Amino acid sequence: SSPARSNTTESAVVELSDGSLMLNSRDNRNRQDKSETNGRAVSITSDLGTHWTVHNSDHGALPEPVCMASLISHRLSDDRTVLFFSNPHHTSQRKNMTVQMSLDDGTTWAKQILLDKEGGAYSSLVMIDDNTLGILYESSRADLVFQTMQLKEFGL
């Protein structure tokens, strides 16, 4: 594809409910930007990356201390699409490891579950089964932690 953004790395891509693709990227500009415009660089494409547009959640909805994050989509039994996102939810420090969900293709993020207040870094999300979300992440308590969450914890 053509580049979506400059000065970004460690991206995750998901398919949205309309079939378009969302690219969610670590933005190296956040090393200096600790204001309300700090956050993940989020772009979407409906033509497999020939053209990219900035998503309305770009820079501001998902704060980050410049760290890899994880993003996955999952189709619920009622046919809705839910996005799950994990990262250290802080503008300058790798702490507040959080998992959030979105039921509107990433326009809004709700139901934050705080996993580790003191730490948190590189994470990877996976669906264990239709009702269980798994996450592997660097924590304050160990080099790596794997834990599961039931989707009912998110109100699903």
Side-chain angles (χ1 to χ4, degrees), residues 15-83:
E15 183 178 1
L16 301 179
S17 60
D18 66 359
S20 62
L21 300 176
M22 171 186 277
L23 184 69
N24 181 300
S25 304
R26 165 182 164 159
D27 193 325
N28 293 321
R29 287 172 282 258
N30 288 325
R31 285 187 170 90
Q32 286 76 39
D33 184 0
K34 305 304 177 191
S35 71
E36 66 279 350
T37 59
N38 169 285
R40 302 289 291 182
V42 184
S43 303
I44 57 171
T45 181
S46 58
D47 57 13
L48 296 177
T50 301
H51 301 94
W52 292 95
T53 59
V54 173
H55 188 263
N56 58 8
S57 67
D58 181 75
H59 290 97
L62 299 168
E64 69 156 0
V66 187
C67 186
M68 181 220 165
S70 185
L71 175 70
I72 62 171
S73 64
H74 177 64
R75 179 85 53 194
L76 298 169
S77 60
D78 61 9
D79 212 33
R80 292 182 297 165
T81 298
V82 60
L83 301 180

Side-chain angles (χ1 to χ4, degrees), residues 83-87 89 96-101 109-115 123 125 133-135 137 147 149 154:
L83 301 180
F84 292 105
F85 175 79
S86 62
N87 82 325
H89 192 81
N96 296 331
M97 178 53 75
T98 304
V99 176
Q100 300 176 71
M101 73 160 197
W109 293 91
K111 190 58 180 176
Q112 294 183 6
I113 296 179
L114 179 63
L115 303 177
S123 59
L125 293 166
L133 177 69
I135 181 171
Y137 66 98
Q147 67 185 87
M149 292 164 274
F154 291 93

